[in-house]
Amino acid sequence: MKHDEFYIGYLPKAPGTLSGFLRRTVITLAAAASVIALLLVLGQAPFPTATFEFGDFKPWEGTLIRAGGVPVLLTASSSMPVLLVAPGKHGFTEGAHGRRVRIEGSRITRDGLTMLEVKPQSLQAIGEGQALARTEPVMATLYGEIADSKCYLGVMNPGQGKVHRDCAVRCISGGVPPLLIASDGRRVVLLNTGDIRDYIGQQVKLDGRLSQWGDMWVMDEVRTSYK
Amino acid sequence: MSVQYQAVQWNPQKKAYDLTLLACVVLYLGLFVGVGAVIHPNATAETLLIRGLGTGAFLLLHVILSIGPLCRLDTRFLPLLYNRRHLGVTMFLLALAHGAFSLIQFHALGNVNPLESLFTSNTRYDSLAQFPFQQLGFFALLILFLMAATSHDFWLRILGAQVWKRLHMIVYAVYALLLAHVSLGALQSEKSLLLALVMGAGLVVICGLHVAAALHEQPVDSPRGAGEEFVAVARFDSIPDKRAIVITLGNERVAVFRHDNKVSALSNVCRHQGGPLGEGRIVDGCITCPWHGYQYLPGTGASPPPFTEKVATFATKVVDGQVYVCPRAKS
Ligand code: HEM
Ligand code: FES
């Protein structure tokens, strides 16, 4: 045998040269672990700019639009409607279509879209609202990935792709509007999609009636298929 | 040994082992989350934690799986083996934190409970690219739990060394489940090859060490002496004092020890967890297992009182400096 020292774990001290060997082993292991940690950190795909002002509720005012089941708020300051969701993996179900409302929400933003996580019970109806400007729908085919709008726009980062797929399924099942990350760069809110559970988080083909609500792209009566 | 398992026995070596382990875990997570937060300011803290804990646990599993073969190749690694179960339990705790955070992050606060969500959100068992990788992680975690919960010597006694050992061999199934968990999950989303390369390197190291250890063992593995009365096994002078050589008689591994002017032959398999007694030493007149220090008297194969373990012994004789062993165990 090469090594003459014998280690017995329940004795108080390891033999001298053995502890030198162990020290070198441990230092090697720790160094390897550090290098691996850094490689894996650096190797991660880039994280896009997206924000969620979690818990920071601010007052918002506008017209509540519930056309097609996706609730949005039309504000005076922008022609881009603001998407509304509830806390957790749930859609926003309070309030009636067409009323002018005041709500408290924390902002979620990405890719020029804004969403509010509305504080429960904060909605107050304060009068009659304005009408939503909508273009005439045209049949269209789009390609891209279906994500849940809430996570994609900033609640989670990454909020799309395979690792996020289960969460997107849960959010969409809970009433969070599905959003198409179209390969042509558009972000399209999806209405009346049927059961799209098996199509989420991967590249798919969508056929449907495409229109614009203000500046927001919307596809209605969506039929999804694998590319 | 028999009566020792009641309480965890702390000593300076064990403390040093655990403190070193803790320091390495903190170093790894600190680097992963700390550096991650600086170079990826848009990443959410939950994502970095989930990834840091998952990769940390997986890395620790590689260390755990490497210790066995490393000890076969070089006995100086044995001190790492002595408290290997602490590595196992620590790995389980990291994996548990990773799984729990993932369950909360991806499945909680929805319209069904998180566990139901884990098993119903993705049912694409027919597709590799879309396969429900999180469920594979869940089963790996479940097995790790069983192993961590039965890691104590108390369970070793209840289940018996054989069953216990078999249970703990399932760690290789866990390794396979986790390779699939990462390949069908994170690897499908990452654009860089680094995660795949690091994981591939890990697989090469684990397989390489196991093959190397198996090759290293070959020489003692050719059996001899079936049916014979006494078999010549070695020259007396070739056995170092207070040590053994290991031979295979029939289908049993036998350790032939020399102490002063005598020889004794015993089963090579320690009653505790099957450690190789023949790689141990005679300390204070007792054969001492290299793995966790269980002791046996060379003459009878019995542990000194109050312990009750006993390994099989074989008759020996020395004629003209040649050591002979009877291939059948004494009854
Ligand atoms: C209930 C059990 C588990 C669940 C729900 C789960 C879930 C997940 C999820 C969602 C990811 C992708 C995270 C991301 O990339 O953002 C992931 C990655 C990973 N998991 Fe698990 N997991 C579980 C158990 C385990 C166990 C037991 C291990 C053992 C060590 C493990 C090791 C890993 C590793 C190494 C990764 C890759 C890290 C990365 O994304 O870079 N997981 N897991
Ligand atoms: S295997 Fe544990 S002491 Fe021998």
Side-chain angles (χ1 to χ4, degrees):
Chain A
M1 271 197 204
K2 294 175 288 191
H3 319 295
D4 214 47
E5 292 184 321
F6 188 59
Y7 175 85
I8 304 177
Y10 49 72
L11 297 184
K13 206 169 159 2
T17 58
L18 200 53
S19 53
F21 174 77
L22 287 178
R23 200 167 301 128
R24 287 195 301 279
T25 307
V26 166
I27 289 172
T28 310
L29 281 175
S34 308
V35 170
I36 290 172
L38 293 177
L39 281 179
L40 293 180
V41 163
L42 290 169
Q44 293 176 101
F47 294 82
T49 308
T51 50
F52 176 30
E53 293 163 3
F54 176 69
D56 181 10
F57 292 103
K58 296 218 168 67
W60 288 72
E61 224 178 272
T63 305
L64 177 65
I65 303 290
R66 287 200 158 280
V70 169
V72 296
L73 191 72
L74 280 182
T75 60
S77 58
S78 166
S79 50
M80 178 63 95
V82 175
L83 289 154
L84 302 176
V85 286
K89 300 175 171 58
H90 297 285
F92 180 67
T93 52
E94 293 176 40
H97 173 74
R99 305 300 302 275
R100 188 168 178 75
V101 297
R102 198 175 285 147
I103 52 176
E104 284 178 50
S106 49
R107 201 160 58 132
I108 306 164
T109 49
R110 176 172 176 185
D111 296 352
L113 283 173
T114 300
M115 171 180 262
L116 295 176
E117 179 179 288
V118 183
K119 188 178 193 172
Q121 320 296 328
S122 70
L123 180 139
Q124 285 173 283
I126 51 174
E128 281 308 308
Q130 73 210 80
L132 169 69
R134 279 200 270 187
T135 61
E136 201 53 42
V138 291
M139 286 306 296
T141 299
L142 294 173
Y143 297 89
E145 178 188 333
I146 303 174
D148 74 282
S149 50
K150 187 175 182 183
C151 289
Y152 176 77
L153 294 180
V155 171
M156 291 195 190
N157 203 341
Q160 68 182 102
K162 176 80 193 274
V163 291
H164 187 261
R165 179 187 160 140
D166 287 23
C167 179
V169 169
R170 193 52 46 225
C171 284
I172 292 172
S173 310
V176 172
L179 182 74
L180 178 71
I181 310 157
S183 46
D184 62 11
R186 280 185 282 188
R187 301 292 172 259
V188 184
V189 175
L190 304 176
L191 304 178
N192 298 315
T193 57
D195 183 2
I196 47 168
R197 196 172 53 175
D198 283 348
Y199 297 98
I200 292 170
Q202 57 203 291
Q203 294 300 311
V204 287
K205 172 176 179 236
L206 288 81
D207 296 292
R209 290 150 48 83
L210 191 65
S211 64
Q212 276 190 291
W213 297 3
D215 287 344
M216 189 170 83
W217 288 100
V218 175
M219 187 181 249
D220 200 352
E221 292 168 24
V222 179
R223 276 179 297 112
T224 315
S225 52
Y226 295 117
K227 264 205 331 192
Chain B
M1 296 161 280
S2 321
V3 293
Q4 256 191 357
Y5 62 79
Q6 278 125 359
V8 176
Q9 316 253 311
W10 287 102
N11 68 22
Q13 289 190 47
K14 208 170 239 186
K15 276 187 200 144
Y17 192 103
D18 287 356
L19 280 177
T20 311
L21 174 57
L22 185 70
C24 287
V25 168
V26 169
L27 174 72
Y28 184 88
L29 288 179
L31 277 176
F32 197 101
V33 178
V35 176
V38 172
I39 54 178
H40 301 297
N42 288 323
T44 53
E46 298 91 322
T47 299
L48 291 175
L49 257 182
I50 285 175
R51 292 178 175 181
L53 287 163
T55 54
F58 201 27
L59 181 61
L60 193 50
L61 180 64
H62 283 76
V63 176
I64 293 169
L65 292 178
S66 300
I67 289 178
L70 277 177
C71 290
R72 316 297 303 157
L73 292 167
D74 185 336
T75 53
R76 288 180 298 174
F77 286 108
L78 279 167
L80 297 181
L81 185 131
Y82 186 74
N83 288 315
R84 185 167 51 175
R85 73 181 66 186
H86 295 206
L87 297 183
V89 172
T90 305
M91 187 237 159
F92 165 70
L93 292 177
L94 290 174
L96 180 68
H98 162 84
F101 272 127
S102 297
L103 263 185
I104 293 172
Q105 167 98 330
F106 298 111
H107 299 279
L109 298 175
N111 55 352
V112 298
N113 83 55
L115 271 183
E116 185 182 341
S117 173
L118 177 65
F119 284 95
T120 54
S121 295
N122 183 353
T123 51
R124 287 295 308 279
Y125 302 102
D126 58 326
S127 157
L128 272 185
Q130 297 303 322
F131 197 88
F133 72 101
Q134 295 196 33
Q135 298 170 21
L136 299 173
F138 177 83
F139 287 116
L141 188 61
L142 203 67
I143 301 175
L144 286 174
F145 168 74
L146 283 179
M147 297 203 312
T150 58
S151 68
H152 199 271
D153 270 5
F154 171 76
W155 281 99
L156 182 60
R157 308 223 117 237
I158 293 204
L159 298 170
Q162 283 257 321
V163 175
W164 189 89
K165 184 121 194 160
R166 264 189 220 132
L167 179 70
H168 284 248
M169 290 303 271
I170 312 177
V171 68
Y172 290 98
V174 170
Y175 183 53
L177 280 172
L178 290 175
L179 284 175
H181 175 65
V182 180
S183 313
L184 303 177
L187 280 191
Q188 305 288 324
S189 284
E190 288 300 337
K191 293 183 181 64
S192 127
L193 275 176
L194 267 174
L195 180 58
L197 286 178
V198 170
M199 204 168 73
L203 183 62
V204 168
V205 167
I206 298 289
C207 293
L209 282 176
H210 280 78
V211 170
L215 292 177
H216 189 74
E217 305 246 294
Q218 285 282 301
V220 279
D221 259 333
S222 43
R224 51 183 142 175
E228 287 172 53
E229 190 50 30
F230 270 94
V231 187
V233 295
R235 301 290 307 167
F236 181 77
D237 294 340
S238 68
I239 310 178
D241 192 27
K242 304 225 183 314
R243 301 220 195 147
I245 55 159
V246 180
I247 53 166
T248 306
L249 288 178
N251 49 18
E252 189 156 18
R253 287 265 183 110
V254 175
V256 184
F257 274 92
R258 166 178 167 187
H259 43 114
D260 305 326
N261 294 320
K262 288 173 287 190
V263 287
S264 315
L266 300 87
S267 160
N268 190 46
V269 183
C270 178
R271 299 293 296 169
H272 178 221
Q273 286 180 20
L277 286 179
E279 289 168 30
R281 307 283 170 94
I282 296 187
V283 179
D284 300 333
C286 286
I287 291 169
T288 306
C289 178
W291 280 12
H292 313 93
Y294 271 40
Q295 294 191 311
Y296 306 90
L297 293 165
T300 60
S303 293
F307 306 113
T308 55
E309 280 76 15
K310 189 173 185 327
V311 293
T313 52
F314 300 78
T316 57
K317 63 181 182 188
V318 183
V319 180
D320 294 338
Q322 177 72 38
V323 179
Y324 296 86
V325 177
C326 172
R328 281 175 304 280
K330 289 185 200 165
S331 48

